[in-house]
Amino acid sequence: MAKFKKKQGGEMPAISTASLPDIVFMLLFFFMVATVMRQNTLKIENNLPFADQVEKLDKKDLVMYIYAGKPSANYRNYGTETRIQLNDDFADVNDIAAFIAAERASKREELIPFLTTALKVDKDANMGLIGDIKQELRKVNALKINYTTKKGAVSGNR
């Protein structure tokens, strides 16, 4: 009859790390796909007006955004008048030309004629400021302008 011997050493076997790179890669891929990158942090109130004839822009990577509105509650120390926001900072009307030049420099040369300037303007914004923005855009030959709105009845703009 066979006799079974008990092991003398109570050592734990080594953990295999062969599948660890696969697990790390799967987690990395998951977070890359599931994460949404935010473009700009709005420092202004941006309650867009309503419009009934709305079209979507085809290529959003060819759009330069200019925001205008009153500073939000966290940024009241900048005043209560309508302000311009370019990327993540408040700006003056005179800064628009430099902003457009920087955006054009970041794109390939063959795409520059297709760049569109989108104005995301609060519905209570001062139209004098919007006129000044448009004058600056004319000076730098940025003539393709898009007004960003919400789809709905125009009567909701009151």
Side-chain angles (χ1 to χ4, degrees):
M1 195 163 162
K3 216 173 188 184
F4 294 101
K5 285 189 175 180
K6 203 175 195 183
K7 275 190 176 179
Q8 294 296 331
E11 298 176 15
M12 295 287 291
I15 297 174
S16 172
T17 59
S19 63
L20 191 60
D22 294 334
I23 294 169
V24 170
F25 179 72
M26 283 191 309
L27 285 172
L28 178 67
F29 184 73
F30 170 76
F31 285 115
M32 284 174 49
V33 170
T35 303
V36 176
M37 300 300 285
R38 184 174 27 166
Q39 286 185 338
N40 293 318
T41 303
L42 282 183
K43 296 180 178 181
I44 61 166
E45 294 175 2
N46 199 259
N47 188 12
L48 298 175
F50 291 100
D52 55 3
Q53 297 179 4
V54 179
E55 292 181 28
K56 284 197 171 200
L57 289 175
D58 292 333
K59 298 190 178 198
K60 294 200 179 205
D61 59 331
L62 298 176
V63 179
M64 304 171 286
Y65 292 99
I66 298 176
Y67 302 93
K70 293 180 181 177
S72 63
N74 296 339
Y75 300 97
R76 289 286 183 214
N77 56 336
Y78 289 100
T80 57
E81 292 296 317
T82 303
R83 300 287 310 259
I84 298 172
Q85 180 180 342
L86 303 174
N87 290 334
D88 282 337
D89 294 323
F90 286 116
D92 193 23
V93 176
N94 301 328
D95 299 331
I96 293 175
F99 169 72
I100 297 295
E103 289 290 320
R104 286 178 176 167
S106 69
K107 305 292 183 204
R108 294 193 323 249
E109 184 145 352
E110 63 268 11
L111 296 177
I112 291 175
F114 301 108
L115 287 174
T116 303
T117 305
L119 298 178
K120 286 193 167 189
V121 180
D122 188 67
K123 67 181 180 181
D124 297 325
N126 183 356
M127 282 307 293
L129 179 66
I130 308 309
D132 294 343
I133 292 172
K134 288 171 50 177
Q135 287 294 337
E136 284 296 314
L137 291 173
R138 285 185 193 120
K139 288 178 186 175
V140 293
N141 203 25
L143 303 177
K144 289 178 77 174
I145 299 175
N146 173 11
Y147 292 95
T148 305
T149 63
K150 291 188 266 185
K151 188 170 184 149
V154 179
S155 60
N157 289 331
R158 295 185 187 136

